[in-house]
Amino acid sequence: MIKENDFVMINFVGRIASTGQIFDLTDKKVAEKENIKGDYNFSPVLVIPGGNYVLKVISDSVIGKNQGDKYELTVQPKDGFGEFDKRLIKTYGMAVFRSNNINPAVGDMVLLDDKMATVLAINSGRVLVSYNHPLAGKELKYEIEIVSIIENEKDKYSAIFEHYVGKKPENIEIDNENVKIHTKEDVKPYIKDSISMDIEKYIDKKIKTEIIKD
């Protein structure tokens, strides 16, 4: 039975409750069946109950479950991507977009004032955008499968690394209170710091982590 701070790998399909539209998923078979295209990571994702790797409501939901369990979860806006805030709707002249070499269309995600916004409408040279998350205000439904529970310490290091980098490490060496993670990827310093902090937090606070590019 899964408890707080366990390392759990899950598959999920996330849908907008009102329409059934899929907005995120990890199951390649479902993507092929429903003709879903896009830049998706078709592999199980790491969940640590009590952690912040996925929405908290999803992390909490795996507690008490077992490997192989499948279930559905309804997520209200306050537990998902927040309520829709009308104060985050802004109007810009088309000249603002042209000066940034942007040709906006309804539904596009655009970068304005160093923040991402969604184009809601275009009319008479004016562009209406929203700085809300695209899923703000929406009730969501998740179909979740508990794929596995990671017990091996080295596999836990690998799972944390893959969560941040997107690829498994080449090799992991453990020597007393030191762990060396070898990779062929360029890992930015702030990502290395996040990996190290999570290893200390979720595995062993005495562990010192070194990430080495081979």
Side-chain angles (χ1 to χ4, degrees):
M1 185 175 290
I2 295 168
K3 58 187 182 301
E4 190 167 331
N5 290 339
D6 279 350
F7 280 55
V8 183
M9 301 302 293
I10 69 168
N11 270 326
F12 71 86
V13 179
R15 301 177 186 268
I16 298 173
S18 61
T19 64
Q21 178 186 351
I22 293 175
F23 62 85
D24 197 6
L25 78 169
T26 62
D27 194 322
K28 188 174 183 178
K29 291 181 179 178
V30 175
E32 291 173 347
K33 180 180 178 181
E34 303 208 20
N35 196 30
I36 302 296
K37 308 292 184 183
D39 186 20
Y40 294 103
N41 178 23
F42 292 123
S43 62
V45 296
L46 176 63
V47 173
I48 302 178
N52 59 355
Y53 284 16
V54 295
L55 293 175
K56 183 178 184 300
V57 67
I58 296 178
S59 289
D60 292 345
S61 77
V62 305
I63 294 176
K65 301 291 193 303
N66 294 286
Q67 182 172 320
D69 285 354
K70 296 180 181 180
Y71 61 99
E72 293 188 355
L73 181 68
T74 299
V75 178
Q76 300 301 322
K78 65 182 180 63
D79 297 319
F81 296 93
E83 301 288 353
F84 191 86
D85 189 346
K86 293 181 179 179
R87 294 172 297 179
L88 298 179
I89 295 177
K90 308 291 182 184
T91 302
Y92 293 90
M94 186 62 77
V96 172
F97 293 87
R98 289 173 179 160
S99 66
N100 287 282
N101 295 316
I102 299 172
N103 184 25
V106 173
D108 282 355
M109 296 290 294
V110 295
L111 182 64
L112 296 171
D113 299 326
D114 296 322
K115 294 180 291 186
M116 294 304 297
T118 305
V119 178
L120 300 180
I122 302 172
N123 187 29
S124 301
R126 308 290 287 176
V127 182
L128 188 70
V129 305
S130 169
Y131 286 101
N132 287 280
H133 189 282
L135 296 173
K138 299 184 184 299
E139 182 181 87
L140 309 174
K141 286 190 179 295
Y142 283 87
E143 301 155 19
I144 299 172
E145 176 187 7
I146 308 294
V147 176
S148 63
I149 301 168
I150 299 175
E151 304 286 355
N152 181 275
E153 189 175 84
K154 186 177 286 189
D155 290 341
K156 290 181 178 181
Y157 296 133
S158 179
I160 288 177
F161 180 88
E162 186 176 2
H163 169 78
Y164 283 102
V165 178
K167 294 184 178 180
K168 294 182 183 295
E170 296 297 314
N171 186 37
I172 295 176
E173 299 176 89
I174 303 173
D175 178 19
N176 295 322
E177 295 178 357
N178 299 295
V179 57
K180 295 181 179 180
I181 302 177
H182 294 265
T183 179
K184 292 182 178 179
E185 306 300 316
D186 288 315
V187 183
K188 296 185 181 299
Y190 70 91
I191 296 294
K192 291 182 179 181
D193 290 342
S194 295
I195 292 169
S196 297
M197 287 189 292
D198 279 8
I199 286 174
E200 291 179 23
K201 181 177 180 180
Y202 296 116
I203 301 177
D204 189 338
K205 65 181 179 181
K206 295 178 292 186
I207 286 287
K208 302 302 178 186
T209 305
E210 184 179 1
I211 297 173
I212 301 166
K213 183 180 180 183
D214 294 332

